[in-house]
Amino acid sequence: MIMEICSWHHHYPAGLSPSASYPREALWWLLADSARRFGTKTALVSHGRSWTYQESWDIALGVAAKIRSELRFGEPEPPRVVLVLPNCAPFLFCYHGALAAGAVVSAASIALTAEELAAQLKDAAPQLVITQSKRSAFVRDALKTVRVNGSVWAIEDMAFAPTSAAFEPIPVADPTQAVAVLQYTSGTTGSAKGAMMSHANLLSNALQNARWFGWGQDEINLSILPLYHTWGMCCCMNSTLAVGGTLVLHDNEQPFDPRAVFDAVRGHRATVLYGSATMFHRLLDVSAEHNACLATLRHIKAGAMLTQGNLKARWDERFPHAPLQQGYGLTEASPESHNNPPQRFKKGTVGVPIQDTECRIVDADDPAKMLPPGRPGEVLLRGPQVMLGYWHKPDATQAAFHDGWLKTGDIGVMDEDGYLTIVDRKKDLIKFRGYSVSANNVEECLLRHPAVKEVVVVGKRDEREGEIPTACIVLGPGMDASAEVGLRAHCECSLSPYERPREYVFIDVIPRNHVGKPLRRELREQINRGG
């Protein structure tokens, strides 16, 4: 690509050009090419076992052959394969195997409730779901609920061995237009939508991340982020494969244990650690006991939530050899669009647009009106990593773009140097522990409880957790604050653990504008003032 020189390009890491070339290949090519270049090098470590690049690619081809022989191909749309898996070696094998078979992959969080998983399966309509034995019945029930006739394979019943016969991976005619992954997101309106990520989207973003930080084949990436999350999938798994590094998968089925992370960093001599701000706060809590464990780390990055506070200052003071980096992205951008230059970090910002990425700030009510530096407005993005649109939702796709630019729904300010600061959210999403919580989804759940007359859910700023889901409730007649116990139980049945309100505030009236729309910002400000 050819990029016009912008103010932010002058702050790029040394030797990094504003524009770069990207292989015009299918996404599975990342693993295939690294198997060719680094065949006997360790590609993957998980649960006490390791696999070389050649072994990993051969196993992925075995999965591809099985998928190709048992699913229906040749229909107008390629078959979808949904992965409901924690961090484990089969995730990588099945992900790249399904792509090599010519299927579209979608990954679902293992924390989803039955209702949420059913909604995702209904939308994706997969021919196949791959999961663990202990989750098979749960998945089958979800498929049955939405009348999707998909097969369920348990990884314990799969061989994960190289194919006995040569299998040629299925080429992609146009990687810029062929869908590789359906990544589900709450999007800009709150309802779950499948972002259509092309092969080129994800391949380019994997390389953009690796090139920005100068990764090489000696990187050892300890993935504490879940691979089913877009950041873990692209910047932990695929970026590592792209440079021939080693991906170490950390168990994410157990509660987060900072001491276990320190032990894993030391044991594997990890050089890369990406995680949420909450994870890094917890690591700092026990860091005095493990100061020497991080000697090998070079690339540390916190994201997925607001990380202003004093997190970076605390981390950099404790580990000056491995300063904490901060950037910005969203599912619809594969996910990364911004990073702070490692040697030119600007406090309070999420950095500048990465290679081949453009950013502009526009009037929140008129995206055709560009705003000058220093003026807050909606953040718009354009680049090779920006999604094709939303799966089977043309209206939502049209609403998400303006003249070829992705409307992020975030309100930001860009300074004269091109550094971006996120100041608010146009969309009603709450960033809690790295998860995107749809306020609308939580509100709909609470409104089904007889004690609730009206409700608005907002995020309460918290240095550790990002934003705490807080329910502002007007109770029905005859109800009082004792209803909170029942409300918590009600939410446990319908919402994922990360979606459930952590705090309940009972109010007499919800402030509204002249047309009756709730004034969320006013409520949010009251909550954050402690009012």
Side-chain angles (χ1 to χ4, degrees):
M1 296 183 65
I2 303 298
M3 284 283 292
E4 178 184 347
I5 298 299
C6 300
S7 60
W8 57 78
H9 292 144
H10 301 295
H11 304 283
Y12 268 24
L16 191 70
S17 64
S19 187
S21 61
Y22 306 93
R24 192 177 174 84
E25 301 284 354
L27 184 57
W28 53 256
W29 175 86
L30 286 179
L31 181 55
D33 184 61
S34 287
R36 178 184 60 81
R37 293 186 294 147
F38 310 107
T40 60
K41 186 176 182 295
T42 300
L44 177 65
V45 177
S46 178
H47 294 81
R49 288 192 58 188
S50 64
W51 294 262
T52 67
Y53 269 95
Q54 192 61 57
E55 288 170 338
S56 299
W57 178 233
D58 287 345
I59 293 171
L61 287 178
V63 174
K66 180 175 173 62
I67 289 175
R68 193 74 189 182
S69 66
E70 299 197 24
L71 270 60
R72 301 183 306 278
F73 287 83
E75 298 179 359
E77 294 175 339
R80 273 75 66 202
V81 175
V82 173
L83 308 182
V84 186
L85 294 170
N87 283 2
C88 60
F91 188 104
L92 185 150
F93 303 147
C94 294
Y95 179 91
H96 282 281
L99 292 172
V104 172
V105 175
S106 184
S109 168
I110 59 174
L112 293 181
T113 65
E115 182 179 355
E116 290 166 330
L117 178 60
Q120 183 167 329
L121 294 177
K122 180 179 181 180
D123 192 69
Q127 287 190 34
L128 172 64
V129 181
I130 301 177
T131 188
Q132 299 158 290
S133 292
K134 64 183 180 182
R135 290 190 166 89
S136 294
F138 178 73
V139 170
R140 286 192 179 93
D141 287 345
L143 287 167
K144 185 178 179 181
T145 298
V146 293
R147 299 180 181 179
V148 172
N149 187 25
S151 300
V152 179
W153 295 355
I155 56 174
E156 291 83 355
D157 299 328
M158 299 174 68
F160 294 114
T163 178
S164 57
F167 178 83
E168 288 295 326
I170 307 302
V172 174
D174 184 356
T176 66
Q177 296 301 311
V179 179
V181 172
L182 291 182
Q183 192 67 30
Y184 279 80
T185 171
S186 292
T188 57
T189 64
S191 58
K193 298 184 290 291
M196 296 187 291
M197 315 311 301
S198 73
H199 290 263
N201 288 155
L202 295 169
L203 194 152
S204 63
N205 205 228
L207 292 173
Q208 286 171 319
N209 171 71
R211 290 167 175 170
W212 185 267
F213 293 107
W215 287 11
Q217 61 177 292
D218 59 341
E219 304 302 348
I220 301 174
N221 191 330
L222 178 63
S223 183
I224 58 178
L225 292 169
L227 298 185
Y228 55 71
H229 188 281
T230 180
W231 200 25
M233 181 188 296
C234 185
C235 297
C236 289
M237 181 173 71
N238 287 333
S239 287
T240 303
L241 297 179
V243 299
T246 298
L247 177 66
V248 179
L249 298 181
H250 193 69
D251 185 1
N252 67 331
E253 287 195 277
Q254 303 300 320
F256 183 77
D257 181 351
R259 291 180 175 84
V261 173
F262 278 118
D263 289 344
V265 170
R266 178 180 56 199
H268 296 286
R269 299 187 61 79
T271 63
V272 180
L273 188 68
Y274 280 19
S276 69
T278 302
M279 292 173 173
F280 286 107
H281 274 295
R282 294 193 60 190
L283 287 167
L284 281 169
D285 287 343
V286 299
S287 61
E289 311 166 26
H290 303 273
N291 201 45
C293 296
L294 302 191
T296 59
L297 283 175
R298 296 192 291 261
H299 310 291
I300 319 290
K301 188 175 177 186
M305 60 175 65
L306 302 177
T307 56
Q308 311 300 348
N310 66 349
L311 174 60
K312 178 173 170 58
R314 289 180 63 210
W315 182 272
D316 291 1
E317 181 180 5
R318 173 67 72 180
F319 305 110
H321 71 285
L324 186 68
Q325 301 299 329
Q326 184 183 354
Y328 169 75
L330 63 163
T331 298
E332 291 87 345
S334 297
E336 293 204 341
S337 69
H338 286 67
N339 272 317
N340 260 285
Q343 305 307 319
R344 297 183 178 89
F345 190 96
K346 188 173 286 192
K347 184 179 179 181
T349 77
V350 294
V352 299
I354 57 179
Q355 281 184 305
D356 295 300
T357 303
E358 299 172 87
C359 178
R360 60 171 51 164
I361 307 299
V362 302
D363 187 290
D365 297 316
D366 181 6
K369 181 180 179 182
M370 289 182 59
L371 299 178
R375 288 274 303 278
E378 184 171 5
V379 179
L380 268 59
L381 298 173
R382 186 166 67 179
Q385 73 273 47
V386 171
M387 70 168 183
L388 299 174
Y390 294 116
W391 179 252
H392 290 176
K393 289 182 170 59
D395 291 344
T397 297
Q398 184 176 3
F401 287 90
H402 171 75
D403 197 23
W405 290 75
L406 176 67
K407 297 159 63 179
T408 68
D410 288 323
I411 303 299
V413 176
M414 189 182 290
D415 68 16
E416 295 282 355
D417 294 325
Y419 283 76
L420 177 67
T421 299
I422 301 297
V423 297
D424 205 347
R425 289 191 175 88
K426 183 179 177 182
K427 55 192 177 184
D428 298 322
L429 289 181
I430 299 165
K431 290 286 188 179
F432 176 65
R433 294 180 179 173
Y435 291 96
S436 293
V437 178
S438 165
N440 291 336
N441 191 43
V442 181
E443 289 162 4
E444 288 176 6
C445 172
L446 286 167
L447 284 169
R448 293 197 293 266
H449 193 281
V452 177
K453 180 181 178 182
E454 297 177 280
V455 59
V456 171
V457 175
V458 298
K460 179 180 179 181
R461 288 191 298 272
D462 184 88
E463 187 170 279
R464 287 177 174 271
E465 311 289 12
E467 296 173 306
I468 296 173
T470 302
C472 304
I473 295 173
V474 176
L475 292 168
M479 300 292 177
D480 58 28
S482 64
E484 180 175 334
V485 175
L487 291 171
R488 289 185 180 276
H490 173 72
C491 288
E492 286 179 3
C493 296
S494 303
L495 299 173
S496 297
Y498 64 85
E499 291 180 295
R500 300 166 193 165
R502 263 39 186 192
E503 296 184 13
Y504 290 78
V505 178
F506 299 101
I507 57 180
D508 295 327
V509 62
I510 289 175
R512 299 179 182 274
N513 65 11
H514 66 284
V515 294
K517 186 177 180 180
L519 297 174
R520 290 181 182 275
R521 182 177 298 184
E522 183 175 320
L523 270 176
R524 186 164 55 244
E525 290 173 353
Q526 290 178 11
I527 293 299
N528 283 293
R529 287 197 306 265

